[in-house]
Amino acid sequence: MLNRADVWTLYRRELRSAFRERTIVVNSILMPIFLYPVLLWVMFTAQTYIQGLNEGFTSRIALVDPVPADHASVLDSLRGREGVRLRGDPEEETPTGPPDILIESEALALLRSGAVDAVVGFRPPEGAGSTLPGNFRVQVRFDGTESRSERARDRVESVLAGYRDTWVQREAERLGMGVEDRVRFLVDVESVSTSREMGTMILGQMLSFFLIIMVALGCFVPSVDTTAGERERSTWETLMTVAASRASVVTAKYLYVATLGIAAGVLNVTAVFLSVGAVLRPLLQGSGEEITFSIPLAAVPVMLAGAVALALFFSAAMMLLASFARSFKDGQALVQPVYWLVFLPLLLGQQTDRTLTPAIASVPVANVSMMIRDAINGVFLWPLIAWTLVVTLATVALALTGARFALRFEDFLLGSFDGSFWRFVRDRISRRRRTDHTTEAGR
């Protein structure tokens, strides 16, 4: 039988032990709080740095055909593009003479070896374009596995696109064509999303996934330490001899693990929310984009409810599996399958145009992720939110039922059973069948 006073006393004892245990505090709370904002900053800074390196690379271009005589200015356009150097041109001086014209096989060999980044050939036009005077076709070959080769392709394409527009304009003026005759339509692109909507979209993607990871990580170490860790330290048997009932002991441990999971999730997500603006804002200043990061006030209780439901689920599932381990290392291995559930939202997709549906609301873990993402974006589907919480709590009840079933056996409580949870269930089911069969034979 449960005794509230015993549960409260044991619960406080577990919390005090956790805060004295440096491994739990560092791995479950402190490290994620400081680690993930730093990782976020490193990730975006590294991405910006790599983009800067790519922009700073000089694209080495090899020509396999001479430039058509009527379009000699293409050569000047290529040479005038910053970050482009034709093979045969000097590196320091301004080139004036013709660049090297390579044999195609030789140029492709240089491209494959990385000596050049792109091979450009000027070819005769094909099809209907072959009748146009002065027309030509450009073939650009590059290595799709190399980022600097792709950058060279983009630079060559931008030069040729600019030259084509200039040439069309010059020819149209020569033929007496006005602007209205050569411009058929214009494409005007404009985003209707506000800076706040862009910020909530980014936060919805990040925080919904981070919250699941943080809650699972917050439950991971305490759930293993309070079960397999106690057995490894030989304190589990002593705890089973206290005056409190076994149900009170297990309940106190369960509430302790869930508390640390909730605390880790809330603290870490708060740290990520406070740092995401400070990290992204300086990186976006160069692009001219302005993003405002904010969360609707109504989303806060939804996120808290999701964090509590996830903590109850992960605590129950992880403790149940870790209880069959005899050492902390074995407990970590047994709990890993539950921890991999945090990647369910990624498997089901994180498309921004998808909201919570009855099907997704029936999938544990993924339903909470989608519920939180919708709430951050200002979408509150209350019937589906309620169904999400019901499904999550049902999985909690299922895990607690399994724990209650295991508590009935002495070999589990004393740690003498050598095997996993699934072997435990299989052995008990087969043993019950043998007992029933023996009883029927005796009749």
Side-chain angles (χ1 to χ4, degrees), residues 58-59 61 63 67 72-91 93-101 122 155-156 159-160:
T58 298
S59 299
I61 310 298
L63 299 182
V67 177
S73 56
V74 172
L75 196 60
D76 297 331
S77 299
L78 285 171
R79 284 170 166 167
R81 172 65 161 88
E82 184 179 357
V84 172
R85 183 172 64 85
L86 302 181
R87 186 173 179 83
D89 287 345
E91 296 187 14
E93 301 176 3
T94 302
T96 55
D100 292 343
I101 305 298
F122 296 88
R155 288 172 174 174
V156 172
V159 170
L160 294 175

Side-chain angles (χ1 to χ4, degrees), residues 19 89 91 107 165 208 264 271 298 353 411:
F19 289 121
D89 287 345
E91 296 187 14
D165 293 340
S208 60
D353 59 343
D411 54 348

Side-chain angles (χ1 to χ4, degrees), residues 24 44 77 103 106 141 155 203 313 315 319 347 415 443:
I24 295 177
F44 284 109
S77 299
I103 301 174
E106 179 186 357
R141 279 175 281 192
R155 288 172 174 174
L203 286 178
F313 166 70
S315 300
M319 283 187 63
L347 296 177
R443 294 177 182 175

